Each structure stands twice: as structure tokens, then as C-alpha cells.
Amino acid sequence: MNNNLKQIIYRLDFDTSKNEDIIYNDDFLNTIMRSYKKIEIDEIENVRTLNINKENPNVLLNNEQVVSKVFTNAEGTSQLKINKNCLIFNSIIFNENLKNSFKDIVDSFIKFNASKSIIRIGLRKIYVYENYKMSQLKQPLKTIMKERDLTNLIRLSRAIVREEYINDDIRITLNEGLLNPTYPSAIEDRSLIIDIDAVHYGIVNNSVDIKTIFDKSENSINEIKEKNILDEGQLNE
């Protein structure tokens, strides 16, 4: 397990043009409950939703109030949120067991909600490195992370660079630089953050294609991350 991986998010956004509710039959709920023993109270929130019209290539944004079912594992380290617009897996700890359980949940969802078309597939990974040497970083990250006097009267509050990439039908956004969880306050330490978000837009209706897109997204994220550092293991020494 990569101890520097602090958060991972898998997300599926649905076509909302049909305004269909999620079908929670016993088989689907049993698949979820094998990994998530605790069910939160239904969550109500105002959200902006994606809508793709097959006859119109433009992506439309709608504002509405939705009710989500939120499932949390016993350790409180992983959460699954489902509503009629999206399915979001969010975890601060990730291993093969969680990855396989998420795949089973997606397979079950597709089986019992076959009329739900998926129009956006996203994977985001956030890495934080507290101990590193400048010699272990590559450009342009080395320039971003250069020594700065953080005790001046004029304080640095943000040092993040954004880059965007395309891998065929996957769009990847990289944000990297100095971590500042108290922004817009001044930066207090020199922890490094590498935040990579990979997104696929387009209609998908089967779990095989979803897995293929997630695998391609993960490979893209790993390749982009590796261009920034010389040796993953050495960063923790």
C-alpha cells in the first residue's frame, strides 16, 4: 500500500434526462453491505448535475435538490454515496480488497439499473509527501518546490501549478506544489501535494467498459505522477 496516497475517489455520473430513481433491491444492497456495515441517514443536498442530450453534443448543467444514500465502512475510512445522479466512492485507505468490492458494487449497480446511462467516469488520486529531498524531484516540480522564506512579512499562501493532459478520450488535470490545508492563510510547512484527476466523458452502459476506462485512467495518473519524482520509495527515507 502506498502510504503517500491520502485519498482516492471513483465517480460515475448518470444521464439525468430520464429522471429515474436508483433501484435498491436486496441483491444490490447485499453487495454493498459486504463492505459497508453502517448506513448513514439519507443526505439531502443542492447539486449541479450533468446532462448530455444524445441529439446535442453540449454538456448541460442543471441545479436541483437530491437525496443520497451514504454508506460508511466500520473503520470510517471509506464512504459510498449513491443518488439518482451519481455514484461516488471516497476512501482514505485503499487496497485490493476495497478495489474488488467497488468493482462488485458497480457490476451489481449496472445489473439492476441497466437503464441508467453513465455519461462521466472520474478517478482522482491525492498524494502528500512530508519528507522529501529536492534531488528526488523532477522539473517543473523542482522549481515549484524551491526553497522560499516563509517567515517574511509578505507570506506565501499558494504555490500550486496546474497542468492538463489528454490521453485519447481521457482528460487529466494535475495540481502540484506546496500543500496548504488552511488556505488562504499563509503556508506553514513544506509538504508536497500531487493531486491528479482523470475524467472520461461519453455514454457508457456496461461494467467492462467502465473497468477499461478506470484502468486507463489509473495508468495515466501513475505515468504523470512518475514524471515528477525520481524514486517513490526514497521520498519516505
Side-chain angles (χ1 to χ4, degrees):
M1 182 176 65
N2 188 324
N3 293 326
N4 300 114
L5 179 59
K6 301 302 181 182
Q7 188 175 13
I8 183 166
I9 302 168
Y10 286 87
R11 177 170 180 141
L12 304 176
D13 286 280
F14 311 131
D15 179 4
T16 59
S17 60
K18 297 180 181 179
N19 199 30
E20 297 174 330
D21 291 327
I22 302 297
I23 298 174
Y24 293 97
N25 61 17
D26 289 343
D27 287 342
F28 182 37
L29 285 174
N30 287 337
T31 302
I32 294 174
M33 297 308 293
R34 282 200 291 269
S35 298
Y36 296 91
K37 307 302 182 184
K38 178 183 176 185
I39 304 179
E40 299 278 349
I41 298 173
D42 288 351
E43 181 179 283
I44 302 175
E45 58 185 333
N46 294 313
V47 299
R48 301 188 72 187
T49 61
L50 292 171
N51 184 19
I52 293 181
N53 189 320
K54 296 179 181 179
E55 299 178 356
N56 185 345
N58 296 322
V59 177
L60 305 177
L61 287 174
N62 300 322
N63 294 312
E64 66 173 318
Q65 189 176 78
V66 299
V67 178
S68 303
K69 286 191 178 297
V70 182
F71 304 85
T72 306
N73 66 352
E75 297 78 18
T77 57
S78 179
Q79 186 180 86
L80 182 72
K81 177 187 289 189
I82 307 174
N83 59 51
K84 65 179 183 177
N85 299 324
C86 62
L87 184 155
I88 305 172
F89 168 89
N90 191 336
S91 184
I92 60 174
I93 294 178
F94 196 66
N95 51 44
E96 284 302 313
N97 289 335
L98 275 176
K99 187 173 183 178
N100 291 333
S101 69
F102 175 72
K103 178 183 178 300
D104 291 341
I105 290 169
V106 171
D107 289 344
S108 182
F109 173 85
I110 296 295
K111 180 180 179 181
F112 298 110
N113 292 271
S115 62
K116 280 282 190 184
S117 293
I118 296 166
I119 60 173
R120 180 186 183 277
I121 298 174
L123 172 60
R124 182 181 180 188
K125 289 187 174 185
I126 301 173
Y127 300 85
V128 175
Y129 301 89
E130 297 177 354
N131 301 308
Y132 60 91
K133 297 177 182 177
M134 294 297 292
S135 61
Q136 295 161 346
L137 307 180
K138 298 180 181 179
Q139 294 290 8
L141 188 57
K142 182 178 289 187
T143 299
I144 302 168
M145 303 300 291
K146 68 182 180 181
E147 291 293 334
R148 292 178 171 90
D149 185 353
L150 302 184
T151 61
N152 284 341
L153 182 62
I154 300 177
R155 304 287 303 279
L156 181 67
S157 65
R158 173 176 284 178
I160 296 288
V161 168
R162 178 187 179 99
E163 298 177 355
E164 296 184 2
Y165 301 85
I166 299 174
N167 182 4
D168 294 330
D169 53 353
I170 307 290
R171 303 189 68 88
I172 308 106
T173 301
L174 164 67
N175 289 289
E176 58 183 356
L178 286 167
L179 174 66
N180 186 8
T182 62
Y183 179 85
S185 299
I187 295 173
E188 298 295 341
D189 62 44
R190 299 192 54 78
S191 296
L192 161 65
I193 183 171
I194 298 178
D195 182 344
I196 312 175
D197 191 9
V199 178
H200 171 277
Y201 290 98
I203 296 175
V204 179
N205 292 299
N206 65 81
S207 56
V208 174
D209 288 344
I210 293 172
K211 182 181 183 304
T212 299
I213 292 168
F214 275 135
D215 288 345
K216 186 175 180 180
S217 297
E218 186 158 18
N219 290 336
S220 299
I221 287 174
N222 291 339
E223 183 175 344
I224 290 172
K225 182 173 69 71
E226 288 168 2
K227 85 176 182 64
N228 291 282
I229 57 178
L230 295 177
D231 189 320
E232 178 83 26
Q234 290 179 5
L235 287 174
N236 297 309
E237 294 180 353

